[in-house]
Structure formats: C-alpha cells, structure tokens
Amino acid sequence: MSEAPKKVRLGDLLVDAGAISESQLLSALQEQKATGRKLGRVLVESAIITEEDMLKCLSKQLGVPFMGLRQYPFDVELVHRLEEGHARRHRAIVLSEKAGVVMVGMADPLDIFAYDELCRILRKPVDVVIVRESELLDTLDTVYRKTREIETFAEQLESEVGDDLFDLQGMQKNTEAEEAPVVRMLQSIFEDAVQVRASDIHIEPDENLLRIRQRVDGVLQEQVMKEHRISAPLVLRLKLMAGLNISEKRLPQDGRFSLLVKGRKLDVRMSTMPVEYGESAVLRVLDQSTGITNLDDSGMSPSMLREFRRMIHMPYGLILVTGPTGSGKTTTLYGALAELNQAGQKIITAEDPVEYKISRINQVQINSGIGLTFANVLRASLRQDPDIILVGEIRDVETAEISLRAAMTGHLVLSTLHTNDAISSAMRLMDMGVESFLAASSLRAIVAQRLMRKLCDECAVPHIPDKVEVSWLERYLDKDVVEQARLRRPVGCHNCNQSGFRGRLGVFEMLMIKDDVADALRRGDSSLFIERAKQQPGFKLLIVSALEHAIEGATAISEVLRVAQELEEPETNDEHQEGAVLTEDQLSERRSRIDAIGAVDEVDGALDRASKAVSTGAFELEDKV
C-alpha cells in the first residue's frame, strides 16, 4: 500500500527533479495568482511541461504508480461507492479493492485534503495511483451514467402516483415545481442522453414495466423500470412542454420544444402515439450547440468531395441525396447549404420539419393540414426570385416535376429521395410518372448514403478474417487489397459504453448524370442505364465504399455485414423490360393501360356483384314457385 500523500509543493518537486526551471516556476506562479487556476494546469497550458512528463515526474518522485484509464476494466458497482459529486470535486475514481484496501486514481496526488476526505467517505484504507486529468474527466462522463438517478426518481414518482388515476389538473398546477420528481427525472433522462450522445429517446409503457430506450450511434440501448405507472406523468409533462393537447390520448400528436442541458441548447421534436398500455413518446434530440456538420467532416472521399462541391456550385440543375430514414441525408444537405450561404445568394428551403435554423436562409415549415405542402411552397418559392432551393423530400410526382422544371429554368435545386441507392433513384422518378426527357435534362448528380458505426479507437484490436469473410471481401475488392487490409474488431471499454463503437461515419455513392448515362435515362431503358452507370469512371457501389472503410480499420467487418442487406447491387426493375427502349408514346401508352386495367377491374367487380344479385333473385323466385 502506498503511503498517504505528503504535504509537498508541486513547483518545488518539479524544480528539484529538473523538470522545470526556477524562472519558469515563478512565471507560472504569477499566472496562477492572477487566474486562480491550479499550478499544474498553468504549467501544462503554458507549454512549460507536458502533462505526460509532469505525471511521470510526480510518479517517480512520490513513489506513486502512474496508470492510464482508457482501457481499464471498470467495475461499475465499485466505482459508484464514491458518489459522482465527490468524484468530480476531488478529481478521483475508485479502481479496485483488494484485501480491504481501495485503490483510487487521483489527478492530484498531492491534495492531502482530498485524500483524507476519500478515506472518510470510503471508510477503508486508500491506495493512490496517478491518472491523467483529461482521461479522468472523460471516464467520469461515461461511468457515472444517470441510470441510477433515473431509477431513484422513478421510485419517488411511483409512490406519489399511487394506484389512483393520474390527476391532470393537479399536474398542471405543479408543473413549475422544480423539485417535483417528474421534472428531476426528465432532467436526468436528458442529461444521460447528452452524455452518451443519443439521437432519440423512446418512452414505452408496457403492462408491468416502463422502457426507456436511447438510440446511440444508430442502435437502441434499453433501460427497464418496474414502475410502469410513471409513464403517464412523464408523457404528460413532455406534452405540456411541447404545447400539445394533454386531454387527447386517443390520437397521435407532434410538437417540439427547446431546453438547456449541461450548457447545451437542445431542440427536441416530440411524437406521441396511443398504444395498448398508455401513450408512447419518441423524442428526437437535436444538439443546436454542435452546429452544422462541415462537408469536410462528412466522410466523403477526397475525389468524391471535390466533384460534389463542383456540382453544388453549378448555377442550375437538380442534385438528389438519397437513402432511408436516419441515413444522414439532411446533414449532408445542410453542409452544402452552409457553403452556399452567402450574401449574394437567395436560398429558400421547404422542410418537414426544420431541424436547424440558419441565418440568412428563408426556411419554410411544411404544414399539410393547412395546405402548405412541398408542391405549394415550391411554387411560391419560384416567385420569390431564389437562386437555390432546398426541397426537404420529393414525395409525389407533382413535387418532382416542379423541382425538375425549376432546375431546368436556372435554379439550383437540392432535395432528398427515399431510395436504396443512386442508380435506383432515377428509376424511382420514372415510376412516379416523371417524363424521362425532363429527368435526363435536369438531373445533375445523385448521392446515396448510409451511416455506419465507427470503431472505438481506445479498444479496437486487429482482426484476422476467416475464409468466409475473405471470400466476401474478394467478391468486391481486389485480392491484393484484401491481403494488405488492416482489419480491426470491437472489444468494448468505458469510452464506448462497452459497445466497441463510438461515433458514426458516412458511406457514399455518387452517380453523375452525364452524356451516355443521361441518354439511357432519356430512353427509359433501365438495363442500359444501370450498365452505363456502373461503367462510369470513378463510380463505386455503396457496398464497396463500406468495405473500404473496413479494410482501413475505421469500422468492423461485422458492422458492414450488419448493413449489407441495404447495400446490395441494384437490379433491373421488373416493370421495365430488359433491353427495352421506351419512347414517350410507349410510356404514355403504358400509363393509359394501367388506368384502363383499373377501370376494367371496377367493371368486373360491378358485373360480379350484379351476377350474384341476379342469382340470388332467381333462387328466391324458384322457392316461391
């Protein structure tokens, strides 16, 4: 066991060890007196000594071990013996216990007052090791989750709710009480969401329990509580914050509100839905303090990013960003708008909903209930003398045609489409009923994207692929590339909440609509379009881009396999015959034929009903006779 910290001054110790000079110490002491910061922090921030050298010097001079926390296997139960407030105040964390002695990591081992306080709180002898303060603060954010605090507030709220029905009127009267358990519980839920970088919070009541799930890096993490009756007051409080009708529980409702959590401004979009055991609420958390993601941080390859930037700076044309919900389409478009947002450009957006508010840009919130649809906003926007128009989503042929005609008449139009890849996006427009010549003349580029989880750099280890993985890799990549791959796999540590992944990266596929590709699109020949798109120089399928991230060690083969079903190669649409070249007349004839088939079906149904009626009448007549 190491001895208790001695009352020694840090500056004298570093000077005696030759780590700093007397003049450097005097300069640092003057700055410390002026700013009130700790001497060690002043020395490090002034670049007089690095944190690493200072801690190693302290370790050697004091005979106290130095330990890194990045990959330390924490015991959560043991860590929580020291409450979070004490851990942050004394810059300490419990690491282990052996033979009745508790090992504690401290950022400042010379703080004898903190040492005495830790001995008093833990009620056992304390063995000190030195840890980096930066690592310690990051670790405290991950190991002290708000789950226990949420459970405590849930128990308090459960006792207050009791077995009676929830009193709506009483809840409204007490909504301003800051100490109410429901308010404190919601505060803890949001703080925990910010701490783990959750994008969504799900509150789901069940028969005998309540589930609170958070979507972190695209995957849900669940916390289950037995206090199922607290779901009603939780959802009610959220509905009050969002300005929703608290008396309506039979219909879904949507709203939004803003709040400040840990110094961060959050914009929360709320959606409620009646379920069997109450109301389910889903909260989309948008951190406004992080700002808009720059295109440089999007994850596009340098060559693709150069081409994409060239396209968004063209004076006219339609650029589509496609992918399923949650694939980062809006983030990419906002990154493009951030670069285009200049005083000389008039930009109008039609969004549902408006996620980030951007100055100088005219943003319109779609409201279909009053007739404010994408098509109507787009028509009105064209009379506002815009240079650039962003359409949140192309959902119907009307919006598609107006967007394409606007792109043809001198406007740059950015929009999204819910399709699986870039190649099928053009075919989707045709299936909507858009004229092939219009699509071929106005489309400039289609970008398809996905988000994959990124390996945690603190715990990822090298991975040797098996025969099945090698065969799968060689299906899409060259053999020599596979042999030189730097594959890694997840392990799990406190930095990534034991998931092995931290953060997400973009996977992109960009198709330029040029010459031969546009010609195939104009003809309506899907087979020829797909063939020419794949042969386009520099074109890479989404699956290939995803595997390139894996062989570089950015993500794992297992993560690519998880999303591989969405990244399959596009196939010819059955509606378009292979090798068939469809003229405008043929396309018009096909649409007429489809309408005619629908009319025939209605006639057949009417005849069938008439036949049954006649048969029934005949039987009745025969009985009477």
Side-chain angles (χ1 to χ4, degrees), residues 109-138:
L110 299 176
D111 191 342
I112 59 174
F113 298 105
Y115 177 84
D116 292 340
E117 186 68 10
L118 291 173
C119 291
R120 183 188 67 79
I121 294 170
L122 297 172
R123 298 181 181 179
K124 288 186 179 180
V126 172
D127 195 354
V128 176
V129 298
I130 303 175
V131 297
R132 295 185 186 89
E133 185 174 6
S134 56
E135 288 186 358
L136 175 65
L137 294 176
D138 290 341

Side-chain angles (χ1 to χ4, degrees), residues 497-526:
N497 294 314
Q498 305 303 321
S499 67
F501 299 92
R502 183 176 176 85
R504 291 194 285 181
L505 50 88
V507 180
F508 295 89
E509 167 186 289
M510 186 162 72
L511 174 63
M512 312 299 295
I513 309 299
K514 297 180 180 178
D515 302 333
D516 54 346
V517 177
D519 180 63
L521 181 61
R522 186 176 292 105
R523 297 185 187 185
D525 186 345
S526 61

Side-chain angles (χ1 to χ4, degrees), residues 183-436:
V183 177
R184 297 202 303 271
M185 182 175 178
L186 285 174
Q187 182 180 357
S188 297
I189 290 173
F190 281 112
E191 287 180 356
D192 190 50
V194 169
Q195 198 162 294
V196 299
R197 301 167 292 105
S199 61
D200 299 86
I201 303 172
H202 297 237
I203 299 175
E204 303 171 341
D206 209 330
E207 183 177 8
N208 296 313
L209 52 87
L210 172 67
R211 288 187 178 88
I212 296 180
R213 301 199 283 179
Q214 297 175 332
R215 191 174 295 279
V216 181
D217 295 334
V219 178
L220 287 172
Q221 299 178 359
E222 184 175 84
Q223 180 181 2
V224 178
M225 288 174 288
K226 61 182 179 181
E227 297 82 7
H228 61 282
R229 291 192 298 268
I230 68 173
S231 63
L234 279 179
V235 174
L236 177 62
R237 185 67 179 90
L238 289 168
K239 289 170 75 173
L240 286 169
M241 295 169 66
L244 303 181
N245 184 357
I246 61 174
S247 63
E248 179 57 76
K249 296 183 178 181
R250 302 166 300 171
L251 296 174
Q253 296 186 69
D254 296 315
R256 67 189 305 165
F257 58 90
S258 300
L259 70 161
L260 195 65
V261 177
K262 289 189 171 182
R264 296 184 178 183
K265 183 182 177 182
L266 302 183
D267 191 8
V268 182
R269 298 200 327 248
M270 178 179 176
S271 174
T272 67
M273 178 176 289
V275 293
E276 187 174 1
Y277 297 104
E279 281 186 284
S280 170
V282 176
L283 310 169
R284 169 64 58 89
V285 181
L286 301 171
D287 192 348
Q288 300 288 342
S289 61
T290 59
I292 297 173
T293 302
N294 192 288
L295 283 179
D296 293 320
D297 301 325
S298 64
M300 288 187 187
S301 64
S303 58
M304 184 182 294
L305 185 58
R306 283 194 300 271
E307 195 66 22
F308 184 68
R309 279 198 165 109
R310 186 179 71 83
M311 298 307 297
I312 65 174
H313 284 90
M314 293 184 68
Y316 60 89
L318 173 63
I319 300 175
L320 287 176
V321 180
T322 73
T325 301
S327 59
K329 302 185 297 296
T330 304
T331 302
T332 300
L333 288 179
Y334 273 136
L337 286 183
E339 291 198 6
L340 297 170
N341 187 14
Q342 300 175 1
Q345 299 276 11
K346 169 86 170 189
I347 303 177
I348 299 177
T349 72
E351 305 173 63
D352 185 19
V354 175
E355 294 192 2
Y356 290 94
K357 301 176 179 64
I358 311 174
S359 61
R360 197 189 286 122
I361 294 180
N362 298 270
Q363 297 173 274
V364 182
Q365 169 72 54
I366 296 300
N367 187 347
S368 301
I370 61 173
L372 195 63
T373 62
F374 281 111
N376 290 337
V377 172
L378 194 49
R379 285 195 192 92
S381 298
L382 293 174
R383 296 191 290 271
Q384 293 283 314
D385 188 28
D387 297 294
I388 301 167
I389 301 173
L390 184 145
V391 183
E393 181 184 351
I394 293 178
R395 297 177 179 174
D396 51 55
V397 63
E398 185 181 16
T399 306
E401 288 185 344
I402 298 174
S403 300
L404 288 165
R405 294 187 186 282
M408 185 184 292
T409 55
H411 303 87
L412 177 65
V413 182
L414 309 175
S415 188
T416 69
L417 198 63
H418 281 202
T419 50
N420 290 329
D421 52 66
I423 295 177
S424 63
S425 300
M427 295 296 103
R428 175 64 61 84
L429 291 176
M430 305 291 290
D431 293 340
M432 281 183 176
V434 173
E435 301 294 343
S436 57

Side-chain angles (χ1 to χ4, degrees), residues 538-610:
F539 177 76
K540 290 181 182 178
L541 293 169
L542 276 168
I543 186 69
V544 176
S545 299
L547 288 172
E548 287 180 347
H549 282 302
I551 65 174
E552 293 171 358
T555 190
I557 288 289
S558 59
E559 177 66 7
V560 178
L561 288 170
R562 185 180 71 86
V563 298
Q565 293 180 351
E566 301 179 10
L567 307 182
E568 292 298 328
E569 296 185 38
E571 298 179 356
T572 303
N573 194 327
D574 293 337
E575 183 181 349
H576 302 281
Q577 297 179 2
E578 186 174 357
V581 179
L582 302 180
T583 64
E584 293 299 320
D585 293 335
Q586 288 173 324
L587 286 172
S588 178
E589 180 184 355
R590 173 169 294 182
R591 286 193 287 269
S592 300
R593 191 162 59 248
I594 292 172
D595 294 337
I597 290 172
V600 169
D601 288 340
E602 291 182 6
V603 173
D604 286 344
L607 290 174
D608 185 51
R609 290 191 297 273

